Each structure stands twice: as C-alpha cells, then as structure tokens.
Amino acid sequence: MGYLSVFLVLAALLVSELMLAATPAVVSAQTGAQEKAASLRAQLGEVEAKQAELQTRLQNLEEKLKPENIESALAGVGSTRPEDLREQRRRQLEIERNGVRAQLDLLATSHSRLETAIATADADAYRQSAAPAKGPSVDASSTTEASAQVATPQRRPRRARKKRVKRSVHHSQPY
C-alpha cells in the first residue's frame, strides 16, 4: 500500500509538471494571435487616417474645380487665350481628383481586407483561448487520427468521356 501511494504522488507531480510545461506554449500562441489582431487594428487606424486625409483633399479639389474658382485662380495671369488656361487648369485638377479617387478606392479595399483579417485573428485568438491545453502527453497516434478526421478528402481526377462514334447503317438495297 505504501508503494502505491508513493507511485500516485509521483504520477500526480509528473502530470502537473507536464501541464505547466504545456501552458506557456498555449499562452504564447494566444498572445501571438492577440498581437496580430492588435497590429492589424493599428494598420486599420492608419488606413482610416489616410482615408480621412484623402477625403479632405478630394473635397478641396471638387471646390477648386468649380468654374468660378478656376477663373479666380487665374485672374492675375495675363494671357491672350484665358479660356485655354482655364481648360488646362481644369484638366490638371481633374487628373489630380481622379488619382485621389483611385487611392481612396484602394484604401477602401484595404480597409475591408483588414476588417476581415481582424475578424479572423480575433476568432483565432478566441479559439486558442477556448481550446483545452494540449500537453506533450498526447500520443502521436491520437494526433494523426484527429488530423485524418479533419483533413478534407482528396478529389479524384475526372475521367475523360469517350466520344461516341456514329456508325452508319448500311442497308442492302436490291438492284
């Protein structure tokens, strides 16, 4: 009976040591996912700041494109063809406006991708925090069985269909 109690105490200590050794790996994986989400949130903040800046710039360009503002901007410039100068200024402003719009479109795409990535990183962090702690006590056979169940089955390549050959029917006709 004495050996049995000593064995149980040693087994309990061994199991507790294994669990403590596994805990930092789980915590580091969890903090890694949380750090990734935080990094993505920082990037999202930068994208939103850039979007706000470009929106302001676009509003300024829209204001400058008004005919009366183009005319007043060129009021001090003397020319024999002021209409050509106004047209040239309008084209420059339109080109700049189109560039700003293109940048805003790219930032909108980036914004949506970052939001999706943040949601994924948050979900990963949640899954890691909710998952039971895995220690080194898990044997290799149970790991391979679990991965075999999760793995998607491979598809077989499709067979090529044989083409049907129409055979002509020869009827013997009397002469």
Side-chain angles (χ1 to χ4, degrees):
M1 176 105 174
Y3 290 115
L4 183 60
S5 62
V6 170
F7 176 74
L8 287 175
V9 169
L10 287 175
L13 286 172
L14 181 62
V15 168
S16 67
E17 281 293 322
L18 289 176
M19 292 303 286
L20 287 176
T23 304
V26 171
V27 170
S28 68
Q30 183 179 356
T31 57
Q34 289 172 346
E35 288 174 0
K36 181 179 178 183
S39 169
L40 290 170
R41 281 192 180 87
Q43 288 178 9
L44 183 65
E46 292 171 7
V47 167
E48 288 173 345
K50 184 76 171 172
Q51 279 180 315
E53 177 186 319
L54 287 175
Q55 282 290 350
T56 304
R57 189 168 166 205
L58 182 64
Q59 288 173 351
N60 289 339
L61 287 171
E62 292 289 344
E63 188 66 29
K64 287 180 181 179
L65 270 167
K66 291 182 179 179
E68 61 270 11
N69 291 335
I70 291 176
E71 199 168 313
S72 67
L74 296 174
V77 178
S79 173
T80 56
R81 298 202 168 190
E83 62 276 349
D84 289 344
L85 286 176
R86 287 191 294 266
E87 183 63 25
Q88 181 183 7
R89 177 71 176 149
R90 186 187 59 77
R91 276 192 237 122
Q92 287 173 344
L93 290 172
E94 283 179 349
I95 289 170
E96 190 174 347
R97 178 188 64 184
N98 292 340
V100 169
R101 283 183 179 166
Q103 286 178 345
L104 279 170
D105 291 342
L106 287 173
L107 286 175
T109 303
S110 253
H111 190 272
S112 63
R113 285 183 183 162
L114 282 170
E115 284 179 338
T116 304
I118 288 170
T120 303
D122 284 343
D124 288 345
Y126 175 75
R127 274 190 227 105
Q128 288 175 358
S129 70
K134 292 182 181 178
S137 61
V138 177
D139 61 353
S141 64
S142 67
T143 305
T144 56
E145 290 172 6
S147 65
Q149 291 173 355
V150 175
T152 57
Q154 292 181 348
R155 289 187 172 188
R156 279 196 243 159
R158 288 186 168 188
R159 290 186 188 175
R161 291 185 179 182
K162 292 182 180 179
K163 291 185 179 180
R164 293 186 181 179
V165 178
K166 291 186 178 181
R167 297 184 185 190
S168 59
V169 179
H170 295 288
H171 294 286
S172 58
Q173 295 181 351
Y175 291 106

